Short mmCIF file of all heavy atoms in Angstrom, two decimals:
data_model
loop_
_atom_site.label_atom_id
_atom_site.label_comp_id
_atom_site.label_asym_id
_atom_site.label_seq_id
_atom_site.Cartn_x
_atom_site.Cartn_y
_atom_site.Cartn_z
N LEU A 216 -0.85 -6.72 13.95
CA LEU A 216 -1.79 -6.71 12.91
C LEU A 216 -3.20 -6.45 13.52
O LEU A 216 -3.52 -6.99 14.52
CB LEU A 216 -1.78 -8.05 12.10
CG LEU A 216 -0.54 -8.34 11.27
CD1 LEU A 216 -0.69 -9.71 10.69
CD2 LEU A 216 -0.26 -7.32 10.27
N ALA A 217 -3.99 -5.76 12.69
CA ALA A 217 -5.35 -5.61 12.98
C ALA A 217 -6.11 -5.75 11.64
O ALA A 217 -5.53 -5.53 10.64
CB ALA A 217 -5.73 -4.21 13.58
N LEU A 218 -7.40 -6.12 11.72
CA LEU A 218 -8.17 -6.24 10.49
C LEU A 218 -8.94 -4.97 10.29
O LEU A 218 -9.65 -4.48 11.15
CB LEU A 218 -9.24 -7.37 10.69
CG LEU A 218 -9.66 -8.05 9.46
CD1 LEU A 218 -8.52 -8.54 8.55
CD2 LEU A 218 -10.61 -9.25 9.77
N CYS A 219 -8.72 -4.34 9.11
CA CYS A 219 -9.31 -3.07 8.77
C CYS A 219 -10.14 -3.16 7.51
O CYS A 219 -9.90 -3.98 6.71
CB CYS A 219 -8.17 -2.02 8.55
SG CYS A 219 -7.21 -1.61 10.03
N GLN A 220 -11.08 -2.22 7.40
CA GLN A 220 -12.00 -2.22 6.34
C GLN A 220 -11.76 -0.99 5.46
O GLN A 220 -11.58 0.12 5.94
CB GLN A 220 -13.43 -2.22 6.88
CG GLN A 220 -14.56 -2.28 5.81
CD GLN A 220 -15.91 -2.43 6.45
OE1 GLN A 220 -16.08 -2.40 7.67
NE2 GLN A 220 -16.94 -2.58 5.56
N LYS A 221 -11.90 -1.16 4.13
CA LYS A 221 -11.60 -0.07 3.30
C LYS A 221 -12.81 0.85 3.30
O LYS A 221 -13.96 0.40 3.27
CB LYS A 221 -11.46 -0.58 1.82
CG LYS A 221 -11.09 0.40 0.75
CD LYS A 221 -10.88 -0.34 -0.54
CE LYS A 221 -10.60 0.72 -1.64
NZ LYS A 221 -10.38 -0.02 -2.93
N ASN A 222 -12.49 2.19 3.41
CA ASN A 222 -13.51 3.23 3.43
C ASN A 222 -13.25 4.27 2.31
O ASN A 222 -12.06 4.50 1.96
CB ASN A 222 -13.59 4.02 4.70
CG ASN A 222 -13.85 3.15 5.98
OD1 ASN A 222 -13.39 3.47 7.06
ND2 ASN A 222 -14.56 2.01 5.82
N ASP A 223 -14.24 4.84 1.76
CA ASP A 223 -14.15 6.03 0.89
C ASP A 223 -14.69 7.19 1.55
O ASP A 223 -15.88 7.21 1.99
CB ASP A 223 -14.85 5.75 -0.46
CG ASP A 223 -14.08 4.94 -1.50
OD1 ASP A 223 -12.86 4.65 -1.17
OD2 ASP A 223 -14.64 4.57 -2.45
N ARG A 224 -13.89 8.26 1.75
CA ARG A 224 -14.42 9.46 2.40
C ARG A 224 -14.55 10.49 1.41
O ARG A 224 -13.60 10.91 0.62
CB ARG A 224 -13.35 9.88 3.52
CG ARG A 224 -13.93 11.11 4.25
CD ARG A 224 -12.84 11.52 5.33
NE ARG A 224 -13.24 12.82 5.94
CZ ARG A 224 -12.51 13.38 6.82
NH1 ARG A 224 -11.37 12.91 7.24
NH2 ARG A 224 -12.87 14.59 7.34
N LYS A 225 -15.71 11.17 1.38
CA LYS A 225 -15.94 12.24 0.43
C LYS A 225 -15.48 13.56 0.94
O LYS A 225 -15.09 13.74 2.10
CB LYS A 225 -17.45 12.25 0.11
CG LYS A 225 -18.06 11.07 -0.42
CD LYS A 225 -19.49 11.17 -0.66
CE LYS A 225 -20.14 9.89 -1.29
NZ LYS A 225 -21.60 10.00 -1.43
N LEU A 226 -15.54 14.59 0.03
CA LEU A 226 -15.05 15.91 0.41
C LEU A 226 -15.75 16.45 1.67
O LEU A 226 -15.12 17.18 2.44
CB LEU A 226 -15.20 16.82 -0.79
CG LEU A 226 -14.28 16.65 -1.93
CD1 LEU A 226 -14.73 17.37 -3.20
CD2 LEU A 226 -12.88 17.18 -1.53
N ASN A 227 -17.05 16.21 1.81
CA ASN A 227 -17.80 16.74 2.85
C ASN A 227 -17.73 15.89 4.24
O ASN A 227 -18.35 16.23 5.16
CB ASN A 227 -19.28 16.82 2.51
CG ASN A 227 -19.97 15.49 2.26
OD1 ASN A 227 -19.28 14.43 2.42
ND2 ASN A 227 -21.21 15.53 1.75
N GLY A 228 -16.88 14.94 4.11
CA GLY A 228 -16.68 14.07 5.33
C GLY A 228 -17.53 12.77 5.41
O GLY A 228 -17.26 11.98 6.29
N ASP A 229 -18.47 12.64 4.49
CA ASP A 229 -19.28 11.39 4.49
C ASP A 229 -18.42 10.18 4.11
O ASP A 229 -17.53 10.35 3.25
CB ASP A 229 -20.48 11.57 3.50
CG ASP A 229 -21.51 12.51 3.96
OD1 ASP A 229 -21.49 12.91 5.16
OD2 ASP A 229 -22.31 12.93 3.14
N VAL A 230 -18.68 9.06 4.76
CA VAL A 230 -17.88 7.84 4.56
C VAL A 230 -18.66 6.71 4.13
O VAL A 230 -19.85 6.49 4.66
CB VAL A 230 -17.15 7.51 5.88
CG1 VAL A 230 -16.39 6.18 5.77
CG2 VAL A 230 -16.17 8.57 6.37
N THR A 231 -18.25 6.05 3.13
CA THR A 231 -18.90 4.80 2.56
C THR A 231 -17.97 3.62 2.97
O THR A 231 -16.72 3.55 2.66
CB THR A 231 -19.04 4.87 1.15
OG1 THR A 231 -19.80 6.06 0.72
CG2 THR A 231 -19.65 3.53 0.50
N ASN A 232 -18.55 2.66 3.62
CA ASN A 232 -17.82 1.41 4.00
C ASN A 232 -17.84 0.45 2.84
O ASN A 232 -18.98 0.16 2.25
CB ASN A 232 -18.42 0.73 5.21
CG ASN A 232 -18.35 1.61 6.41
OD1 ASN A 232 -17.26 2.15 6.76
ND2 ASN A 232 -19.49 1.71 7.11
N LEU A 233 -16.69 -0.12 2.44
CA LEU A 233 -16.63 -1.01 1.26
C LEU A 233 -16.38 -2.45 1.71
O LEU A 233 -15.64 -2.60 2.81
CB LEU A 233 -15.53 -0.50 0.30
CG LEU A 233 -15.72 0.95 -0.13
CD1 LEU A 233 -14.46 1.28 -0.96
CD2 LEU A 233 -16.95 1.09 -1.01
N PRO A 234 -16.77 -3.42 1.08
CA PRO A 234 -16.62 -4.84 1.43
C PRO A 234 -15.27 -5.32 1.14
O PRO A 234 -15.08 -6.46 0.56
CB PRO A 234 -17.72 -5.61 0.72
CG PRO A 234 -17.76 -4.79 -0.57
CD PRO A 234 -17.60 -3.22 -0.21
N THR A 235 -14.20 -4.64 1.57
CA THR A 235 -12.79 -5.08 1.40
C THR A 235 -12.15 -4.97 2.71
O THR A 235 -12.13 -3.96 3.43
CB THR A 235 -12.07 -4.11 0.40
OG1 THR A 235 -12.66 -4.23 -0.86
CG2 THR A 235 -10.65 -4.58 0.22
N TYR A 236 -11.53 -6.13 3.11
CA TYR A 236 -11.03 -6.31 4.52
C TYR A 236 -9.55 -6.65 4.38
O TYR A 236 -9.19 -7.60 3.66
CB TYR A 236 -11.81 -7.27 5.22
CG TYR A 236 -13.30 -6.95 5.29
CD1 TYR A 236 -14.07 -7.46 4.31
CD2 TYR A 236 -13.84 -6.15 6.30
CE1 TYR A 236 -15.53 -7.20 4.29
CE2 TYR A 236 -15.17 -5.84 6.27
CZ TYR A 236 -15.96 -6.35 5.32
OH TYR A 236 -17.36 -6.08 5.27
N MET A 237 -8.69 -5.97 5.14
CA MET A 237 -7.22 -6.07 5.01
C MET A 237 -6.56 -6.30 6.30
O MET A 237 -6.92 -5.64 7.28
CB MET A 237 -6.63 -4.85 4.29
CG MET A 237 -7.31 -4.43 3.04
SD MET A 237 -6.93 -2.66 2.65
CE MET A 237 -7.94 -1.81 3.89
N GLU A 238 -5.50 -7.22 6.35
CA GLU A 238 -4.65 -7.21 7.51
C GLU A 238 -3.71 -5.97 7.37
O GLU A 238 -3.12 -5.70 6.36
CB GLU A 238 -3.74 -8.48 7.46
CG GLU A 238 -4.53 -9.72 7.70
CD GLU A 238 -3.52 -10.88 7.75
OE1 GLU A 238 -2.42 -10.78 7.29
OE2 GLU A 238 -3.95 -12.03 8.27
N CYS A 239 -3.63 -5.21 8.44
CA CYS A 239 -2.86 -3.95 8.50
C CYS A 239 -2.08 -3.94 9.71
O CYS A 239 -2.38 -4.39 10.81
CB CYS A 239 -3.74 -2.74 8.51
SG CYS A 239 -4.73 -2.52 6.95
#
Side-chain angles (χ1 to χ4, degrees):
L216 296 175
L218 204 54
C219 295
Q220 184 172 6
K221 184 176 179 181
N222 303 149
D223 279 353
R224 181 180 173 184
K225 298 178 182 178
L226 286 165
N227 64 4
D229 291 347
V230 174
T231 301
N232 297 311
L233 303 175
T235 300
Y236 306 90
M237 309 161 286
E238 290 183 343
C239 294

